Amino acid sequence: MHVKKGDKVQIISGQYKGHVGEVLAAFPKENKVIVEGANVRIKHQRATQMGGESGRIEKEGPIDASKVLLYSEELGRGVRVSRVVEDGKKIRKSLKTNEIFD
């Protein structure tokens, strides 16, 4: 998968197109990521104990990893990346600006 936890990404399609946020969690087997502030779901929760938390709880849901691109600070938008080996390490490099993301 081309993104991992902690990356800054831009969503390129769907309801949240153009949204920029941090990846909170990545699920490589399902090819899904959770992006901060995107795909927000509301869960109505009843208190399980006396004095417990209840009400509407907002939580981000997963979206497909193919709908996000790594965000380039230089260009101010999402960019495609390639994986290259330099000094025996795999790194992610922007195709347009050669910006390194690892």
Side-chain angles (χ1 to χ4, degrees), residues 26-37:
F27 307 103
K29 289 184 181 176
E30 293 93 32
N31 198 37
K32 296 201 181 277
V33 293
I34 295 178
V35 179
E36 180 181 27

Side-chain angles (χ1 to χ4, degrees), residues 7-96:
D7 286 343
K8 194 171 185 180
V9 295
Q10 182 175 21
I11 299 176
I12 57 172
S13 68
Q15 180 182 359
Y16 292 93
K17 181 178 180 177
H19 177 79
V20 177
E22 185 179 330
V23 175
L24 300 175
F27 307 103
K29 289 184 181 176
E30 293 93 32
N31 198 37
K32 296 201 181 277
V33 293
I34 295 178
V35 179
E36 180 181 27
N39 199 18
V40 177
R41 303 288 183 213
I42 296 175
K43 181 179 180 182
H44 297 272
Q45 184 171 335
R46 184 180 301 162
T48 55
Q49 301 176 6
M50 287 296 258
E53 185 180 356
S54 65
R56 295 173 57 170
I57 298 171
E58 293 185 357
K59 186 176 178 183
E60 290 93 355
I63 60 173
D64 202 78
S66 64
K67 293 186 176 204
V68 300
L69 288 176
L70 280 167
Y71 186 76
S72 172
E73 296 291 342
E74 283 182 38
L75 294 177
R77 62 184 175 95
V79 292
R80 290 170 47 183
V81 294
S82 65
R83 291 187 201 105
V84 294
V85 178
E86 286 186 4
D87 301 327
K89 292 183 179 180
K90 279 187 187 178
I91 60 169
R92 296 175 297 169
K93 187 185 279 191
S94 168
L95 291 173
K96 289 198 180 261

